[in-house]
């Protein structure tokens, strides 16, 4: 046998429903306040996290650029200077500019520019040309008149 719930008298029934409804509304408002607080907290946390991520990525970008420059420098150091300077030598020959190789003698007031790296030097007159002190390449463009030009 099931027991039927005992209901309050009819005159108290409206009052009890009103109290239950007020409790439900209070509970709903408390949940809304809690949710609003959580949303505000979450929004502030995400905003802070976003700022930290931007700062991290900026720093990482600088590090990546440094690594890119270093790796490029390492690759150029490892590259055969004859391969990288060959187009410069061909340009000198085609344009009729004077050029010299390591082992030749330097003339009076002559400046040499390495065709591999662009390093410029004015060696003593009548000395023997040595490979570039910077990159080791042995082909130079001769600049008559030296630094005065």
């Amino acid at each position: 046998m099931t027991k039927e719930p005992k209901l309050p008298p009819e005159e108290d029934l409206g009052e009890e429903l009103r109290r239950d409804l007020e409790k439900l509304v209070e509970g709903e408002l408390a949940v809304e306040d809690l949710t609003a607080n959580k949303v505000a907290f979450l929004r502030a946390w995400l905003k802070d996290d976003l700022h930290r991520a931007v700062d991290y990525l900026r720093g990482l970008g600088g590090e990546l650029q440094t690594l890119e420059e270093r790796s490029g420098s390492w690759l150029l150091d490892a590259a055969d200077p004859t391969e990288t300077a060959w187009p410069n030598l061909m340009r000198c020959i085609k344009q009729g500019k004077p050029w010299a190789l390591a082992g030749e003698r330097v003339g009076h007031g002559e400046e040499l520019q390495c065709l591999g790296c662009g390093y410029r030097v004015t060696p003593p007159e009548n000395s023997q040309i040595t490979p570039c002190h910077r990159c080791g390449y042995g082909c130079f463009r001769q600049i008559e008149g030296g630094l005065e030009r």
Side-chain angles (χ1 to χ4, degrees):
M1 280 203 210
T2 60
K3 252 183 164 181
E4 285 190 33
K6 194 170 185 184
L7 295 175
E10 276 189 42
E11 54 275 347
D12 293 337
L13 188 59
E15 184 64 30
E16 192 164 328
L17 284 174
R18 189 180 63 72
R19 272 188 258 129
D20 287 342
L21 188 58
E22 284 176 356
K23 285 182 186 176
L24 284 173
V25 169
E26 285 175 14
E28 180 67 26
L29 290 174
V31 167
E32 284 181 21
D33 286 343
L34 181 63
T35 304
N37 288 340
K38 283 185 177 181
V39 166
F41 175 75
L42 184 60
R43 185 173 286 140
W45 182 79
L46 287 173
K47 193 174 184 179
D48 180 60
D49 199 38
L50 179 64
H51 287 295
R52 288 175 191 237
V54 166
D55 291 342
Y56 174 77
L57 290 175
R58 275 192 194 122
L60 184 62
E63 289 178 26
L64 288 176
Q65 185 175 2
T66 302
L67 288 174
E68 181 181 355
E69 289 169 1
R70 282 185 185 166
S71 60
S73 177
W74 291 335
L75 288 172
L76 286 174
D77 288 346
D80 182 4
T82 57
E83 293 294 321
T84 58
W86 189 252
N88 292 332
L89 175 61
M90 290 291 100
R91 201 174 304 116
C92 279
I93 292 171
K94 285 180 183 177
Q95 293 174 356
K97 293 180 180 176
W99 55 281
L101 296 174
E104 294 181 6
R105 297 264 171 212
V106 179
H108 172 71
E110 203 171 85
E111 183 182 5
L112 301 175
Q113 182 177 20
C114 176
L115 292 175
C117 67
Y119 179 73
R120 293 174 83 149
V121 65
T122 306
E125 183 181 342
N126 206 24
S127 64
Q128 188 174 11
I129 300 173
T130 59
C132 178
H133 299 293
R134 189 187 269 167
C135 71
Y137 192 55
C139 193
F140 300 87
R141 181 170 76 98
Q142 293 173 315
I143 304 170
E144 292 185 18
L147 297 172
E148 298 157 9
R149 224 177 217 200

